[in-house]
Each structure stands twice: as structure tokens, then as C-alpha cells.
Amino acid sequence: MDPSTFIDPYLTPPDRLVLDNLLLDGQRSPEKIKSSGGTPDVPSDADATVSQLEAFNDPRHADFVPTILFTWDLKDIKLPPLLDAWLLQPYIKVARSIVRMDTDVVMLTHLLLYFTTSVPSAIYLFRNFHWFHGVLHWIMQSYYVGTYTLMMHQHIHMGGILNKRHCWLFDTLFPYITDPLMGHTWNSYYYHHVKHHHVEGNGPDDLSSTIRYQRDSLADFACYVGRFYLFIWLELPTYFLRKGKTLLGLKAAFWELSSYLMMYLLWNYVSWRATLFVFVIPFLQLRVGLMVGNWGQHAFVDETDPNSDFRSSITLIDVASNRFCYNDGYHTSHHLNPRRHWRDHPVAFLRQKDRYAAEHALVFRNIDYIMITVRLMRKDYDHLARCLVPMGDQINMTHAEIAAMLRRKTRRFSEEEIKRKFN
């Protein structure tokens, strides 16, 4: 499979529309694109696509499509008429009244999944442990964790995912049950990601910044993961204290250490075997996963303007990130507006397509963040270049020039460069 030509049939409909639009641009010269008319923000050839994507997301529009499941789009769910009329449609109607946004029926679907599988399985392991069950439970949670984490990503940015009026209490409390089952410590995702990472934006004070590392070096990557693994429990609270945010520092420390205490007590006084599979292994696994993902998201940092959100993060058009993980591939769009709803990323990208191109932003397809990290560890810039969807000036670059450009963007920054480029 050649990533430069393969179009995954499992792409979401919005992803396919975005990709088709970019590929159409690639068939023309940048000069012709600039002269194609339209508004300053949206070229004329993208107007229809933008309108179509807006209709998908607008509950008042006849073409509105809520997300029910990730595995199948609504149009592909073919049930017998009786089941459709008496099961699926009533579920969608009720679910839309429960979730915060009409599009997000899938979030209720997944909450039901977690509370009917993960929670009972964990309880049963503590009541009647079997090694085989423990392994199966870990495999199940490993399958769930990516989608769950990106659901919680929406939760922490939007202050919840369920209806504020009727479901605020459950919306507030359920993460204290499900977060540890997936490997998260209580509230740490919120404090690290929202109150820290998005404030610092991969800059010099970001504890998960990639700029001081050679991003295609296995040794540097090991140091990066090891630092987070061993010291984030201390570094995040002390970061807040240095910034004069004492209360945030105390809260971050309290919740992180409370999670460790919970695991310690369950290990020593209830069942170490159950605690190992229910809490400890998911925790250790997720910490690696979070850093592998963040490395891929911020591996390519522009050497001239590393402080730009367009140039320090990337966009992915792929199945794993966008179909199963709430459009996580639109990472640049997310950094431009952290509170942007996940369904709005494709249309926001197209509205600003000219700006992305002018800023030399990077868009990839047929690869996710984990595999970007893997390819970088192998220094496989040939494959990464074939995954790039060229925009603007990139369209006229040769394959070798694209590979060389990507290699330049993984170089570590010296402290002198950091002081100069980040003021």
C-alpha cells in the first residue's frame, strides 16, 4: 500500500471530503488556487464542501447526522424496519436529550459500554480473581483506552459531555470511576493538558515540550518518556508553584498522590492481583501511550517560527485518529481553538485552508501519531514524505525535498535558539 495514493475506504465522510479537496488543490498550481475566487477565508472550490460539512453538524438542517457508533456511520447501520423504528430511532431521540451536543450520541453509547463491561469486570476481578480473566480485562481496557481518552479530552475542554440541566451530577462523577480503570489518575489529565500544555503550547516551559529533544532519536525519546514517567507527579505541581498558581499546584499534587494511595491500599489490603490488572497495568501503559502520542503530535516543529500553532503541530487524515478518536488528527485546529467541538474540526480546517498553506502547515494521511513516532525512530523520512498531503508551496516540491524538509523539522533546538525564538 502506497500511502501517497491509497485512499482508505473507512475514512469518515468529512475526512474524505477534506482529503478530496486537498488532492484537487494538488492537481493545480498554487497560483491557480489563489486566483480561483471565493471569499478571503474560503476559496470558491471549497464553498460547497464547507456548506455540506456545516449541514452535517447542524441539528436544524435536514442533512444533520449524529454520530451513534464509530464502527459504522449512521447510513451504514442497516436494521430490520421493526428494530430501526422501535429501537434505533427511539435510542437516538432519547440520547440526543441526554448528551450535551446533539451530534454526540456516541458518547452515551460508549458510557453505556464502559459501565456494562469495564466496571462489572473490574468488580468481579476483586470478588473472584482469575488470571485468565485478568488478562482478558487488560486486553479489553487496552482496546477501549484510546477512544475513552479522547472522549475525556472533550470532557475536560468543554466542562462535560452530558446535558447540564439533567445530567450534571453523573457527568461530574463518572470520571472518578472510569478514569482509573483506563489508566488515568484523578483529574491529572485536566491539570496537565488544559491548565498546563495548552497554556505553554509546546514552548520552553511545557513539561511535555519536544523542542529540546532530537525527535528522531530513540535515546532522546527514552529520556522524554522516562522524565514524564518518573517525575511528572512532582514537576507539574512545582510548575504551578513557580507560576504563582499555588492552588492549582496543590490540587494537582492532591489528586495525583490520592490516585497512588488508592492503588497502594487496594494492592496491600484488598487484592494485589486484581489491582495489578484493573489499575496498575493500565496506568503504566497509558503513561507511555500519552507520551508516544504527544511526541508524534509535536515532532515536526518549524525551525524558523516554532511558536506558531500552525508550525508546531500537525493534521492527520486517518481512520484511527478521526473515526475512532473524535477527530484527534486535527491537532493544529485543536491548538488554534482548544474549545472547538470535535465535529467542527474538518470544517474549521477547510475554512482556514489558505492560512494553513501560507503557514507551511503539515498535513499527513494514512498514518497516526503512534506510527509517526515509530517511523521517526526508524528515521524513515521516505515513508513520512509519502504520507504528506502537500499544500501551497509544498505542492511543487520533489519527494526528496519533502523528506529533507521533514528531517529539518525534527532537529532539537539549542538553549540559545529557544531564548531567541521564544523571546
Side-chain angles (χ1 to χ4, degrees):
M1 186 268 287
D2 183 354
S4 65
T5 57
F6 177 71
I7 297 179
D8 196 320
Y10 210 36
L11 287 173
T12 64
D15 267 7
R16 183 58 191 268
L17 289 170
V18 170
L19 181 60
D20 286 347
N21 194 271
L22 294 178
L23 294 178
L24 180 63
D25 287 349
Q27 296 170 5
R28 301 178 296 171
S29 67
E31 291 75 19
K32 192 172 182 180
I33 295 170
K34 291 176 183 177
S35 63
S36 63
T39 67
D41 294 322
V42 184
S44 60
D45 65 335
D47 283 347
T49 304
V50 168
S51 297
Q52 188 175 358
L53 290 173
E54 289 175 336
F56 286 162
N57 297 341
D58 185 356
R60 299 164 297 181
H61 199 282
D63 293 333
F64 170 69
V65 182
T67 303
I68 314 301
L69 302 168
F70 283 136
T71 309
W72 301 283
D73 297 313
L74 182 57
K75 63 181 176 60
D76 297 322
I77 302 176
K78 307 296 185 183
L79 294 178
L82 191 65
L83 289 178
D84 183 77
W86 290 93
L87 179 63
L88 180 60
Q89 297 306 321
Y91 172 71
I92 293 173
K93 183 178 180 180
V94 172
R96 286 177 61 181
S97 70
I98 293 174
V99 293
R100 180 82 53 93
M101 306 292 289
D102 286 73
T103 52
D104 295 350
V105 174
V106 68
M107 294 188 179
L108 180 62
T109 304
H110 277 256
L111 282 174
L112 293 172
L113 176 67
Y114 304 141
F115 276 91
T116 55
T117 56
S118 297
V119 174
S121 176
I123 293 172
Y124 192 78
L125 277 170
F126 276 98
R127 292 179 61 86
N128 188 17
F129 179 83
H130 293 283
W131 288 101
F132 184 65
H133 180 192
V135 172
L136 289 180
H137 179 87
W138 165 61
I139 293 172
M140 177 178 68
Q141 297 304 94
S142 299
Y143 178 74
Y144 288 165
V145 67
T147 301
Y148 175 83
T149 296
L150 271 301
M151 183 183 77
M152 290 309 301
H153 182 249
Q154 188 72 19
H155 191 286
I156 61 177
H157 276 291
M158 303 297 291
I161 57 176
L162 302 179
N163 187 297
K164 288 183 179 180
R165 183 176 179 182
H166 305 297
C167 305
W168 66 269
L169 183 60
F170 180 75
D171 202 18
T172 301
L173 295 180
F174 84 78
Y176 292 94
I177 299 171
T178 51
D179 272 9
L181 296 178
M182 302 291 179
H184 290 275
T185 49
W186 288 317
N187 293 321
S188 295
Y189 193 20
Y190 170 76
Y191 290 118
H192 186 278
H193 184 76
V194 176
K195 294 298 185 181
H196 168 64
H197 176 63
H198 276 283
V199 172
E200 299 298 342
N202 201 52
D205 290 341
D206 189 340
L207 296 174
S208 54
S209 173
T210 58
I211 59 175
R212 290 186 172 91
Y213 299 91
Q214 179 66 34
R215 270 93 65 195
D216 61 2
S217 164
L218 183 58
D220 278 37
F221 176 67
C223 291
Y224 179 79
V225 174
R227 177 186 176 184
F228 182 82
Y229 221 78
L230 299 175
F231 302 114
I232 194 61
W233 65 272
L234 176 63
E235 287 192 316
L236 185 60
T238 54
Y239 159 84
F240 287 126
L241 294 177
R242 286 198 312 274
K243 297 291 184 177
K245 301 176 181 179
T246 305
L247 185 58
L248 280 178
L250 293 175
K251 288 180 178 179
F254 172 78
W255 287 112
E256 184 78 1
L257 296 177
S258 294
S259 298
Y260 298 161
L261 179 61
M262 177 269 292
M263 287 186 275
Y264 171 81
L265 293 174
L266 288 174
W267 181 285
N268 280 280
Y269 300 107
V270 182
S271 169
W272 71 267
R273 296 177 182 86
T275 304
L276 177 67
F277 285 98
V278 174
F279 296 114
V280 176
I281 293 178
F283 165 73
L284 297 175
Q285 178 176 268
L286 179 64
R287 293 269 153 140
V288 175
L290 290 172
M291 289 299 97
V292 170
N294 196 74
W295 187 272
Q297 289 168 343
H298 296 284
F300 301 102
V301 181
D302 189 75
E303 62 274 21
T304 58
D305 188 9
N307 209 20
S308 166
D309 285 327
F310 288 99
R311 301 178 181 219
S312 64
S313 57
I314 61 176
T315 300
L316 304 184
I317 301 175
D318 77 297
V319 171
S321 304
N322 298 338
R323 175 171 287 280
F324 294 103
C325 290
Y326 299 93
N327 281 334
D328 189 43
Y330 291 89
H331 200 65
T332 300
S333 175
H334 175 59
H335 268 272
L336 291 170
N337 182 358
R339 289 182 60 83
R340 181 174 286 143
H341 187 263
W342 67 279
R343 283 273 298 253
D344 292 332
H345 286 307
V347 67
F349 172 85
L350 276 186
R351 286 198 194 104
Q352 291 188 284
K353 184 178 66 170
D354 283 353
R355 179 73 186 279
Y356 276 75
E359 293 278 357
H360 309 289
L362 301 178
V363 178
F364 296 88
R365 61 167 166 163
N366 295 318
I367 193 167
D368 60 24
Y369 297 118
I370 293 174
M371 289 311 300
I372 282 179
T373 298
V374 171
R375 293 289 177 175
L376 285 172
M377 295 304 103
R378 298 171 61 183
K379 295 181 172 56
D380 190 355
Y381 288 99
D382 173 72
H383 184 87
L384 292 167
R386 284 188 281 122
C387 291
L388 188 80
V389 183
M391 299 177 68
D393 295 342
Q394 299 164 359
I395 292 173
N396 292 324
M397 296 173 67
T398 66
H399 177 80
E401 288 171 337
I402 290 174
M405 173 193 69
L406 295 177
R407 186 184 294 272
R408 287 196 304 273
K409 295 184 186 301
T410 61
R411 181 183 60 82
R412 75 156 55 89
F413 288 81
S414 67
E415 291 302 319
E416 181 182 346
E417 288 177 300
I418 290 172
K419 289 178 182 178
R420 185 173 68 254
K421 295 180 184 294
F422 288 90
N423 298 318

